[in-house]
Amino acid sequence: MALGIDIYRRFQTVTSWPRVKQAGVTFVYVKLTDGGGTPLGGTGDNEVSGARSVGIPVGGYHFVQANPGAEAQADILLGEVARLGATGCVPMLDLEDNPAGSGMPNIPDSQKAAFGKAFCRRLDARGFRPGVYMNNALATLLRPDNWGIPGLVIWIARYGARPAAAAGRYDIHQYSSSGSIPGITAAGVDLDESYTSAHLGAFKAPGDEEDEDMSSDRGEATENGEWGKLHIPVNGGRYLRLASSYNDPITIDGISLVGDTPGLAGRDVVTVQAGGKVDPDRPGPWDLAGASGDYANKSHVVVRYQCASAVKGWVNNRG
């Protein structure tokens, strides 16, 4: 887990970026665009440059409006992302309603999934990895993890508790809107925890579509001929293990170790194991260091599997 924040200069004023970093903040999202343009509170120039100045990965988010269309709003966000160099985190769609009393029309819930898919596919088509933010209730209704968008990063807001299982998988949890961070003057700061590293890095890398889909470390049951994927953070661990919910055999199409290796462009993919059947009493361990000498630089493991029951994967240091 890693601490992140999302800020909007209308409500949060950063007075010291070094203090923000010293507080343990590892990523920042800045409101860059809103509907057909930039927010009423102003552009995110100072916030993006400030985060970058202290080496905190920073990305931009877009607050959705009923107009213009999804592709046009995606292009508006990417224009600001490119102008500011806010490419440390994936560009994010904030799919929620306007504040009560704003007088602005909202996209009906029945149309939000279609809008979100079109927006995210536009990001993907332009070479970016897409992300979407929504609250727990909307995630339960729309299930963005079932949208079929490769590499979709999911950010769910729920205060006082983790997102519900019915909301599906997620990469980031916004757990408070009333936090306090040294170096920021505000009535409250949105606080987030990342449970994967999927949000880091805005651009698609060669092989993204084939090698990973940024799914969670727990996968559902699959049918014959259908392959599921697990995305399992390495987090400094060395040994990979798999397990099925009911001790069913797991058939794997491949296990890959993926990450950003110094000196190499994009993500380096190392095959840990080719296809084969994993017996329920022998679910590993796979020695990641044995598979790759620079395994510590890899961010996650990707497993393509078939199994009649749900599959879980995890990485630790116990062989």
Side-chain angles (χ1 to χ4, degrees):
M1 296 184 294
L3 173 66
I5 59 174
D6 51 285
I7 57 176
Y8 173 28
R9 65 162 47 189
R10 186 176 181 184
F11 300 118
Q12 291 91 23
T13 300
V14 181
T15 57
S16 172
W17 279 104
R19 292 188 68 197
V20 171
K21 185 171 184 178
Q22 291 166 9
V25 172
T26 65
F27 65 95
V28 176
Y29 269 99
V30 178
K31 184 175 183 178
L32 297 184
T33 51
D34 189 319
T38 53
L40 292 176
T43 62
D45 295 55
N46 292 342
E47 289 74 20
V48 172
S49 63
R52 293 181 64 189
S53 72
V54 295
I56 302 177
V58 59
Y61 74 89
H62 173 86
F63 193 95
V64 70
Q65 298 293 346
N67 292 292
E71 290 83 0
Q73 292 191 47
D75 287 346
I76 289 167
L77 171 61
L78 292 184
E80 285 294 277
V81 166
R83 183 179 73 82
L84 299 173
T87 57
C89 299
V90 303
M92 188 72 58
L93 169 64
D94 185 343
L95 193 59
E96 60 181 310
D97 290 339
N98 287 289
S102 70
M104 298 289 289
N106 297 314
I107 299 175
D109 286 354
S110 61
Q111 299 176 23
K112 282 188 170 75
F115 186 101
K117 292 176 185 179
F119 187 105
C120 292
R121 285 174 179 148
R122 179 67 170 184
L123 299 185
D124 179 82
R126 293 193 57 187
F128 289 82
R129 298 169 49 233
V132 65
Y133 164 97
M134 62 187 69
N135 64 37
N136 182 78
L138 192 61
T140 301
L141 176 66
L142 302 186
R143 285 302 297 263
D145 57 332
N146 293 329
W147 285 2
I149 297 177
L152 181 64
V153 178
I154 300 174
W155 181 4
I156 297 178
R158 191 184 193 192
Y159 306 148
R162 291 274 295 271
R169 74 160 183 90
Y170 56 94
D171 301 285
I172 304 174
H173 172 208
Q174 185 183 90
Y175 63 92
S176 176
S177 61
S178 56
S180 176
I181 296 290
I184 299 180
T185 301
V189 179
D190 291 343
L191 303 180
D192 309 285
E193 281 185 334
S194 62
Y195 288 87
T196 75
S197 59
H199 60 292
L200 297 175
F203 298 109
K204 290 167 58 178
D208 268 358
E209 294 85 353
E210 297 180 3
D211 293 307
E212 58 177 317
D213 70 351
M214 294 301 178
S215 59
S216 68
D217 59 355
R218 183 183 296 275
E220 301 301 323
T222 59
E223 299 177 358
N224 288 335
E226 174 186 302
W227 291 96
K229 281 189 181 181
L230 297 176
H231 167 270
I232 306 164
V234 171
N235 290 336
R238 174 168 175 169
Y239 296 99
L240 165 68
R241 290 183 180 273
L242 301 177
S244 68
S245 300
Y246 301 100
N247 291 322
D248 289 331
I250 305 168
T251 301
I252 58 172
D253 184 49
I255 300 176
S256 299
L257 193 59
V258 182
D260 299 309
T261 300
L264 294 179
R267 288 184 178 157
D268 184 30
V269 181
V270 175
T271 299
V272 176
Q273 179 171 317
K277 180 167 287 189
V278 179
D279 293 330
D281 60 342
R282 294 180 60 85
W286 285 273
D287 185 347
L288 304 183
S292 171
D294 61 353
Y295 82 100
N297 292 316
K298 302 299 189 292
S299 59
H300 55 279
V301 181
V302 175
V303 182
R304 276 174 47 90
Y305 70 91
Q306 283 183 330
C307 188
S309 60
V311 174
K312 180 170 177 63
W314 66 99
V315 176
N316 58 29
N317 280 307
R318 296 166 60 184

